[in-house]
Amino acid sequence: MARMKKLPNYRVHPATESAAGAEFALGGQIGRVVDGLIEQWVLPAPFSNPEMLEMFRDPDRLPLRNRVPWAGEFAGKYLTHAVQVYRLAPSRKLKNQIKWFVKELIGLQNEDGYLGPWPRDCRLTNQAPNSSGSKQSTWDTWGHYHIMLGLLLWHRESRDRKALACCRRIGDLLCRHFLKPGERMAKTGWEEMNHAPIHALCLLYKETGKKDYLDLARQIEKEFEAPGAGDYVREALAGKEFFQTPKPRWESLHPIMALAELY
């Protein structure tokens, strides 16, 4: 049976404030499913697929390894998932694994904040010669978003300052790159994926108060209106259903979540 856990009282939106002190005691079939999930997926996954982390270690090694455009997402998605499962069913074993994973992930971050699998000349361009995507496109900013989200969730849970510092270095890198005159994420293609950092930037701004994060989030929100992007705000105000919008893929839900945070 999964053990009971009281959630920390970190800052939450008033609409969800009642959940801040929630306690969970998962038993019966649900408890068995969660325990099985931990033992058969969460704990063994990074060892069954070591490339989840190793892809960040030497992205410039020749010959370049062929990768799917979304390769950089896996570590962040794993971390997000692991933290959410830990909140439901805490254990020392799972906590130690997350701490180990975060330490390994942080240790692979480049000095400038980059934490992706693509060669140096291709960083944040969302294009690389070893991508299997159409026109060699990558979802590099999408991958960084998922890492930021996982680190932020772990920091909320553990108050791990190094996790927050790693997330901030990614945020600072995005700001340095995309707040320059003439630079826009909308220019990199696959906007529904590569606009996703807006959500993490909003969360990071709420955590740190650094104005650059909010400035970039607001810039991305305006980019939603660019040709090829999702235009989520204006389409919704016009009464359109989600499937009628320009980018009705599930990945669009991540940039859409930022609208609630901006509000």
Side-chain angles (χ1 to χ4, degrees):
M1 174 178 172
R3 289 187 293 169
M4 184 176 292
K5 168 91 183 285
K6 185 172 183 178
L7 298 182
N9 288 312
Y10 51 74
R11 289 178 292 173
V12 295
H13 190 278
T16 58
E17 192 165 4
S18 60
E23 296 181 353
F24 299 96
L26 304 180
Q29 180 62 16
I30 293 178
R32 288 191 290 273
V33 168
V34 172
D35 289 341
L37 172 71
I38 293 170
E39 293 297 327
Q40 298 180 45
W41 163 247
V42 183
L43 293 176
F47 306 101
S48 298
N49 183 9
E51 187 67 5
M52 186 187 297
L53 288 169
E54 288 300 310
M55 69 174 69
F56 303 125
R57 193 176 301 281
D58 54 355
D60 291 290
R61 191 185 77 186
L62 298 175
L64 295 174
R65 283 150 292 179
N66 190 45
R67 302 196 185 283
V68 293
W70 51 88
E73 73 176 27
F74 303 131
K77 285 188 172 183
Y78 170 80
L79 179 57
T80 296
H81 169 75
V83 174
Q84 290 173 332
V85 171
Y86 175 75
R87 291 177 63 194
L88 286 175
S91 69
R92 182 171 296 276
K93 183 191 292 188
L94 182 51
K95 182 176 184 179
N96 287 339
Q97 166 127 339
I98 296 173
K99 288 171 66 175
W100 164 80
F101 188 87
V102 169
K103 182 179 179 181
E104 291 292 312
L105 182 61
I106 291 173
L108 296 170
Q109 187 174 35
N110 192 271
E111 290 182 1
D112 67 356
Y114 184 77
L115 191 47
W118 303 106
R120 181 173 296 273
D121 292 342
C122 305
R123 294 176 180 177
L124 300 185
T125 64
N126 290 328
Q127 193 168 25
N130 56 324
S131 169
S132 62
S134 61
K135 299 181 180 179
Q136 299 181 316
S137 59
T138 72
W139 303 0
D140 203 7
T141 48
W142 163 264
H144 279 82
Y145 158 69
H146 283 287
I147 291 175
M148 293 175 75
L149 183 60
L151 290 170
L152 281 167
L153 290 178
W154 178 238
H155 175 258
R156 283 181 170 183
E157 183 67 31
S158 67
R159 308 316 295 176
D160 183 340
R161 291 179 294 178
K162 290 183 179 179
L164 180 61
C166 180
C167 185
R168 294 192 66 165
R169 285 192 291 271
I170 295 174
D172 292 341
L173 173 66
L174 293 174
C175 289
R176 288 196 305 273
H177 189 88
F178 290 106
L179 283 178
K180 294 186 297 187
E183 285 292 343
R184 294 292 184 270
M185 283 187 189
K187 292 167 54 179
T188 65
W190 294 104
E191 292 85 353
E192 63 269 52
M193 297 81 171
N194 287 322
H195 273 155
I198 183 177
H199 180 224
L201 288 164
C202 289
L203 299 176
L204 192 55
Y205 169 71
K206 290 168 70 175
E207 188 68 43
T208 66
K210 185 169 181 178
K211 185 173 179 293
D212 283 354
Y213 304 145
L214 181 60
D215 288 344
L216 182 54
R218 286 174 168 158
Q219 176 175 297
I220 297 170
E221 190 272 326
K222 291 301 296 180
E223 289 183 38
F224 289 167
E225 301 177 5
D231 207 4
Y232 310 112
V233 178
R234 294 191 304 180
E235 293 287 279
L237 291 175
K240 299 285 185 65
E241 296 288 347
F242 178 64
F243 74 89
Q244 297 173 310
T245 64
K247 290 298 178 72
R249 291 176 54 128
W250 70 265
E251 292 93 343
S252 290
L253 300 178
H254 289 280
I256 285 173
M257 285 194 292
L259 299 177
E261 301 297 336
L262 284 171
Y263 174 78

